[in-house]
Amino acid sequence: MDLNALFKISHGLYVIGAKDENNRWVGSCIDAVMVIEVDPCQIMISLGKNSYTCETFLKTKALSLSVLPEHTPFNTIARFGFQSSRTTDKWKKETLFEKEGLPFLKNACAYMHLKQNTVLETATHYVFLCDVISCVAGECDAELTYNAYQKNIKKKEKTMTQQTKWICSVCGYVYDGETPFEELPDDWVCPLCGEPKSVFVREE
Ligand code: FE
């Protein structure tokens, strides 16, 4: 099986949001979204079972979906895609708006309010058939495709990461871990002096 074949089925990138039982906003970056039909308006999304957003959506049945624009910063995708809402407030650093109690990313290409209709369980994922309660197109009309993310945003970030050093401004420790510095969790601390991630400065 050449799994590269799967990437030839083109799709976009999306940020979904939900409100957990503690009234906390959670969310994820996903790529598996498909329009099933227009009348009644239904779309299908697939979420990994380990995802806290998936766990939340199973219970609360309400979800926001923001269609990411082509100029989405790498950090937004990394935060929503590589961290867990169990430990991180992913929405804290984003410009957002609230509708029906759910968070949406501002400046997205489109916004949808989804309600869970039918759930299909696979070995590793839940596949949700959702009713679109409301949807609106945003001002940005150039959406980010998964392919463009791989080719442009991720590649550029990798090159930048290889060229830059992250240095602890308190003790001078130079980060040399395998995980890109931006993808380290917010509660990561300097292994030398114990100061938080926020004291690190980027040196070109
Ligand atoms: Fe330090």
Side-chain angles (χ1 to χ4, degrees), residues 79-95:
R79 194 175 305 119
F80 279 94
F82 306 140
Q83 300 189 353
S84 171
S85 284
R86 280 192 183 86
T87 50
T88 308
D89 179 356
K90 298 184 182 181
W91 292 95
K92 194 171 64 182
K93 292 179 183 161
E94 299 293 342
T95 313

Side-chain angles (χ1 to χ4, degrees), residues 156-176:
K156 190 173 138 207
E157 181 65 24
K158 209 171 173 186
T159 313
M160 275 171 65
T161 307
Q162 282 163 353
Q163 288 166 354
T164 56
K165 285 180 182 172
W166 283 93
I167 301 168
C168 176
S169 63
V170 175
C171 73
Y173 169 79
V174 181
Y175 176 70
D176 64 352

Side-chain angles (χ1 to χ4, degrees), residues 111-170:
Y111 311 99
M112 295 175 202
H113 177 201
L114 307 177
K115 192 164 168 267
Q116 189 187 123
N117 180 314
T118 309
V119 188
L120 175 76
E121 185 175 3
T122 72
T124 56
H125 284 64
Y126 283 108
V127 180
F128 298 95
L129 177 64
C130 303
D131 298 323
V132 180
I133 303 299
S134 67
C135 60
V136 61
E139 281 168 19
C140 175
D141 67 351
E143 62 275 9
L144 177 63
T145 64
Y146 187 78
N147 202 5
Y149 160 68
Q150 289 288 347
K151 277 189 187 155
N152 306 330
I153 300 179
K154 199 172 175 187
K155 208 169 176 184
K156 190 173 138 207
E157 181 65 24
K158 209 171 173 186
T159 313
M160 275 171 65
T161 307
Q162 282 163 353
Q163 288 166 354
T164 56
K165 285 180 182 172
W166 283 93
I167 301 168
C168 176
S169 63
V170 175

